[in-house]
Amino acid sequence: MTLLQKTKEIISDSIKSVIFIDEKGLESYQETSSSTVLEESLSKSLYKNFKKKGVSLTTHKFSPNDLKDDGIKEYLLKRRDLVLLDWRLDGDSSGELYSLEILSEIVKSQHLHFCSIYTTEPKVINIINNIRSYFTGYNIEYYDKIIEDLSAYEESFGSQPFTEITYDVKHNGRLFNQFGNIDTDLPTTITESTGLSFAEALVQVKHALSGFHKSSKTNPVPAVIDHTNKTLVINNTIITIIPKTENSATKILAKLSKQVKNSKSCYSQILGLDMQNSLLNEAAFIDENLLSTTLDTLMYHRKQLEESNLDNDFPNFIKSVMYENIKLSIQKNSFKSLEKSFLDKITKSKPKTSDSEIAKLNTFYNGSILTKKATLGFGDLLIDSAKNEYYLCITALCDCLFPDKIKNNFYFVKGKKVSNFKKEIKEGDSGFKSFINHETCIVWANEGEYIKPFQIHVHSSKYNNGKIEMKLINENELLTLELEYKFTLKTSYTQRIANHSFSYPIRVGVDFVKG
């Protein structure tokens, strides 16, 4: 089976609930208009065609008030697999902002992996540029300030070098002298206005001066923008652009599959979907033993923990048991994306990669950023930004949950960001290291060295805006640290470091004579 065929198979399995959002859409049980309306006939065709594929499709007739109604927004997006979103939700360019606002809600939904922009817009590049401009990581106030700061050079906005700015940071770096020729202070003004290096700053200047839509709030930045295949990836959502002339469910899913297949991250995407399909269709959180257990028996266990002042441990214990059940289910399930014959077919004789790509994969293996981290826990990696020093919490999870048992004294190890990133990639798993993004590797100890654990007093283990205050005794001096959360290592990686560090106090030194 080819990669495209496998992609189609997995995507078809994963899409079972679709919603079509259009201000002219025809909802169920509503009468059609007296005049012919494209979107009404489209609603009927989509419903029939998706039904034949075993997919449930709902049409929602959009109103601007929907954006103010949390109940409606939940109805639109919760438990949907694919959203067909009209590009202009009131028929003109102002409706594009409504579409972009719904798109921002879609990409925030961790479960919603597919969105197709449904459009009659002939210039697809305008849609891509509007999405790019709306999802920059900055809001409209940021861009208004840039325009205000550069207002003295407004007459030059329509000419070089302003018109030469691109989204390519490397290209922009070459424009430094040209901007300096306009005014020697201009490059400094640009960097100070944006808070970025010059080449990166020019990307934001391009956004500011473009006529494309901006968001009133900060939104995540696209990880992938593929003009050729009309595809973007933001967070976990794959966004494709499809003409409204297309009403065949088979063709829509085929186009979606083709666009996914042509993306650089195709296999990663179908692997994730395959796992999700397995969890939904085959995995079980509970078995007959739990089903036959009475409420009183469960509460009896909770009462035991409560009597030992471990009431909060009950939810965590149940979660851990459920987690282990899922692991057992995954181990026994078969996955379409991991079939040997398929992997053999798509594996090149000499696969090409890069240090950056290897680091990204190692980061995935290592752990992830937990967006709603509430309290300090085992495996949390924090940074002292002032000194660029990294700290890893190796305190046992049970003690992290009940810090009063350890008098709020947490165990940590300290690491540093490596300067020779290429060397660490080449050496692989030698020493003790953690990859936290595609360009940052933290080394806790070099090969042959010991990792020395130490304690820090944490008065409150709750994060406050991602930061936490601690007190450390260093050379008989009490120091206050403010550390910022950066990453959480997976348990196995943290335990490996913890095991090594806690062996430090029981080491035996032998002093041989050196020649």
Side-chain angles (χ1 to χ4, degrees):
M1 187 175 282
T2 66
L3 180 57
L4 179 58
Q5 290 170 328
K6 185 65 72 174
T7 302
K8 284 181 181 178
E9 182 184 15
I10 291 173
I11 286 180
S12 295
D13 283 349
S14 68
I15 295 178
K16 295 301 175 188
S17 175
V18 181
I19 188 165
F20 173 40
I21 304 173
D22 195 299
E23 85 282 4
K24 296 177 183 177
L26 181 67
E27 296 184 338
S28 300
Y29 309 111
Q30 298 297 310
E31 294 185 2
T32 57
S33 303
S34 55
S35 58
T36 302
V37 178
L38 168 65
E39 288 76 11
E40 290 185 356
S41 59
L42 187 59
S43 301
K44 292 180 179 179
S45 300
L46 287 170
Y47 173 78
K48 292 177 182 177
N49 291 335
F50 273 98
K51 185 178 180 180
K52 290 177 183 177
K53 298 287 291 182
V55 179
S56 170
L57 181 135
T58 300
T59 296
H60 176 74
K61 190 169 185 176
F62 174 79
S63 164
N65 289 329
D66 293 343
L67 297 171
K68 303 173 186 176
D69 190 325
D70 290 339
I72 291 291
K73 286 195 288 186
E74 183 174 328
Y75 162 75
L76 293 178
L77 306 181
K78 193 170 183 179
R79 294 192 175 91
R80 305 291 182 187
D81 302 314
L82 167 63
V83 177
L84 299 175
L85 179 64
D86 178 43
W87 175 236
R88 291 180 172 169
L89 281 173
D90 68 353
D92 57 33
S93 59
S94 63
E96 295 171 359
L97 278 170
Y98 295 142
S99 301
L100 287 165
E101 190 168 344
I102 290 178
L103 186 59
S104 70
E105 295 292 331
I106 290 171
V107 302
K108 283 195 297 186
S109 304
Q110 296 296 313
H111 69 282
L112 224 171
H113 297 296
F114 298 106
C115 174
S116 288
I117 303 293
Y118 232 6
T119 183
T120 55
E121 169 66 54
K123 294 182 179 179
V124 173
I125 185 66
N126 289 339
I127 298 176
I128 293 175
N129 283 337
N130 270 302
I131 295 173
R132 186 202 290 265
S133 179
Y134 199 82
F135 293 86
T136 63
Y138 300 98
N139 60 23
I140 193 169
E141 292 178 0
Y142 175 81
Y143 293 110
D144 287 343
K145 180 180 179 299
I146 291 174
I147 292 173
E148 182 181 345
D149 292 343
L150 299 180
S151 59
Y153 309 97
E154 187 173 355
E155 292 182 0
S156 301
F157 288 171
S159 58
Q160 295 182 352
F162 281 96
T163 55
E164 295 295 310
I165 302 172
T166 71
Y167 297 114
D168 182 353
V169 174
K170 291 181 180 179
H171 169 82
N172 290 340
R174 303 167 192 161
L175 301 176
F176 185 89
N177 290 336
Q178 294 183 48
F179 277 91
N181 290 337
I182 296 176
D183 186 333
T184 54
D185 293 331
L186 181 52
T188 302
T189 301
I190 289 172
T191 56
E192 289 181 350
S193 177
T194 59
L196 301 168
S197 65
F198 179 75
E200 293 174 326
L202 287 187
V203 173
Q204 303 310 324
V205 170
K206 183 175 179 66
H207 283 310
L209 299 182
S210 75
F212 299 114
H213 298 301
K214 310 292 187 297
S215 175
S216 59
K217 56 190 176 184
T218 58
N219 288 312
V221 180
V224 175
I225 300 178
D226 186 340
H227 289 272
T228 304
N229 295 296
K230 305 179 182 65
T231 304
L232 302 94
V233 178
I234 307 177
N235 278 356
N236 297 311
T237 306
I238 302 164
I239 302 158
T240 60
I241 301 169
I242 296 176
K244 274 190 178 178
T245 52
E246 189 58 80
N247 64 11
S248 164
T250 301
K251 289 182 179 179
I252 289 174
L253 294 177
K255 186 179 284 286
L256 194 63
S257 301
K258 185 177 180 181
Q259 290 170 327
V260 171
K261 181 263 176 187
N262 289 332
S263 69
K264 292 179 181 178
S265 57
C266 171
Y267 183 73
S268 301
Q269 292 167 10
I270 65 170
L271 176 62
L273 290 171
D274 196 16
M275 295 287 172
Q276 179 178 282
N277 293 343
S278 176
L279 287 173
L280 289 173
N281 299 328
E282 300 179 55
F285 286 90
I286 57 178
D287 62 14
E288 63 275 9
N289 293 308
L290 183 58
L291 285 171
S292 61
T293 302
T294 65
L295 173 64
D296 281 348
T297 304
L298 281 167
M299 293 308 103
Y300 175 79
H301 180 207
R302 179 175 180 267
K303 197 73 176 174
Q304 281 186 335
L305 295 173
E306 190 178 50
E307 289 169 358
S308 302
N309 294 318
L310 296 175
D311 181 41
N312 288 336
D313 247 8
F314 182 72
N316 290 308
F317 173 77
I318 295 296
K319 285 179 188 178
S320 66
V321 172
M322 297 291 190
Y323 169 68
E324 291 301 324
N325 276 354
I326 287 295
K327 283 175 64 178
L328 290 172
S329 293
I330 288 177
Q331 287 171 6
K332 70 181 182 182
N333 291 350
S334 58
F335 296 96
K336 295 175 181 178
S337 59
L338 295 176
E339 292 170 357
K340 185 180 183 302
S341 58
F342 169 62
L343 293 176
D344 288 343
K345 191 174 184 65
I346 65 171
T347 302
K348 297 177 181 177
S349 57
K350 293 183 179 180
K352 293 181 179 179
T353 188
S354 65
D355 289 347
S356 176
E357 292 297 316
I358 291 172
K360 287 177 184 177
L361 185 58
N362 285 340
T363 300
F364 173 73
Y365 291 159
N366 247 178
S368 60
I369 298 171
L370 304 181
T371 54
K372 295 182 180 180
K373 199 78 174 73
T375 58
L376 180 64
F378 182 71
D380 282 5
L381 196 155
L382 307 98
I383 184 173
D384 180 349
S385 299
K387 296 181 179 178
N388 201 29
E389 293 177 335
Y390 291 82
Y391 294 76
L392 176 67
C393 178
I394 57 169
T395 308
L397 180 60
C398 55
D399 291 334
C400 291
L401 293 171
F402 302 98
D404 55 310
K405 294 196 301 182
I406 55 171
K407 298 181 180 179
N408 291 74
N409 294 318
F410 286 69
Y411 276 102
F412 286 85
V413 294
K414 187 190 289 188
K416 60 182 179 180
K417 181 179 177 179
V418 300
S419 55
N420 192 340
F421 189 71
K422 185 178 287 290
K423 174 177 173 286
E424 298 304 328
I425 291 286
K426 187 175 181 179
E427 290 184 351
D429 198 30
S430 62
F432 293 86
K433 64 191 70 169
S434 302
F435 291 88
I436 63 173
N437 58 45
H438 69 282
E439 58 185 7
T440 305
C441 176
I442 312 302
V443 169
W444 308 104
N446 294 314
E447 194 171 4
E449 295 179 348
Y450 275 98
I451 306 173
K452 186 177 180 181
F454 56 92
Q455 286 185 308
I456 302 180
H457 182 78
V458 183
H459 179 68
S460 173
S461 59
K462 293 182 179 179
Y463 286 107
N464 183 13
N465 293 323
K467 296 182 179 180
I468 198 162
E469 193 172 280
M470 309 178 180
K471 295 190 182 296
L472 169 68
I473 297 177
N474 184 29
E475 296 180 355
N476 296 322
E477 183 180 357
L478 185 64
L479 303 177
T480 299
L481 295 174
E482 185 179 68
L483 302 183
E484 183 180 358
Y485 172 79
K486 295 295 288 185
F487 197 80
T488 296
L489 294 187
K490 289 176 180 166
T491 302
S492 56
Y493 284 87
T494 309
Q495 194 63 57
R496 178 171 175 261
I497 295 169
N499 290 346
H500 183 79
S501 65
F502 286 125
S503 69
Y504 177 81
I506 58 173
R507 72 199 186 285
V508 176
V510 179
D511 294 326
F512 284 120
V513 178
K514 294 179 181 179

